[in-house]
Amino acid sequence: MQISMNSVVSLNYEMFDASGVMIDKNHDPIVYLHGGYDNILPAVEAALDGQEVGKTISVTMDPDDAFGEVDPSLVHEEDVGLFPPDLEIGMMFETRDPETGESAQFRVTAIDAGKVTVDGNHPLAGMQVRFEAHVLDVRPATEEEIAHGHVHGAGGHHHE
Ligand SMILES: [Zn+2]
């Protein structure tokens, strides 16, 4: 069965940076509903269209198609006193906007002279990445899955 609109696709993936170093891979297979439901990067979804079990795709994406360009307005300096004493570079913090309730993740990128630099950009922002995916399984989605816009069952969405 070929991957098309409303296919449920299971895949393994590996992601590489511009120098070919592997930066991410899945542990359990990724299962997603194909067909523009915004469940997977659009460039990857386009490359998977028409593929079938056993096929491997490779997509090289510029930042715009992957995790975006670096937004300098998401980089802030804060007073070190606002952070826990065991602060280290690379730590992640979550903030919640009291007005909108939206949460944002910040990464500590520098600690210097009582100031902490935090960066809210995706760690892969500004990077060209290559995404390799191996198709493990393809099945038709159920009507309920299509109505919800996501996969149910193993690897998918669970409802209470
Ligand atoms: Zn659902």
Side-chain angles (χ1 to χ4, degrees):
M1 183 183 164
Q2 286 191 326
I3 297 172
S4 61
M5 183 81 191
N6 298 328
S7 296
V8 171
V9 182
S10 306
L11 52 84
N12 282 328
Y13 77 85
E14 292 182 341
M15 201 157 55
F16 302 87
D17 69 12
S19 53
V21 175
M22 191 174 69
I23 45 182
D24 192 22
K25 66 181 287 191
N26 61 292
H27 298 283
D28 298 317
I30 304 297
V31 186
Y32 82 97
L33 177 59
H34 186 90
Y37 295 96
D38 209 16
N39 293 321
I40 190 168
L41 290 169
V44 174
E45 184 164 46
L48 284 164
D49 201 71
Q51 301 292 342
E52 49 196 31
V53 173
K55 298 281 184 173
T56 298
I57 58 126
S58 172
V59 198
T60 300
M61 291 176 284
D62 287 328
D64 268 350
D65 290 328
F67 300 97
E69 300 289 352
V70 174
D71 180 352
S73 75
L74 294 176
V75 181
H76 301 278
E77 264 198 355
E78 305 282 2
D79 196 275
V80 74
L82 295 170
F83 295 87
D86 60 347
L87 187 68
E88 283 176 32
I89 288 173
M91 277 184 172
M92 302 287 300
F93 290 91
E94 193 167 282
T95 60
R96 192 172 290 276
D97 188 312
E99 280 167 25
T100 65
E102 274 182 41
S103 63
Q105 287 218 320
F106 285 87
R107 199 163 30 103
V108 174
T109 56
I111 309 169
D112 187 38
K115 292 288 178 192
V116 177
T117 306
V118 292
D119 187 343
N121 286 289
H122 191 282
L124 300 174
M127 284 177 59
Q128 187 191 66
V129 297
R130 190 170 67 81
F131 192 99
E132 214 173 87
H134 182 69
V135 182
L136 301 171
D137 188 46
V138 184
R139 67 164 169 87
T142 65
E143 278 180 29
E144 192 183 45
E145 287 171 325
I146 294 167
H148 286 202
H150 56 228
V151 173
H152 294 159
H157 201 92
H158 295 279
H159 294 285
E160 293 298 318

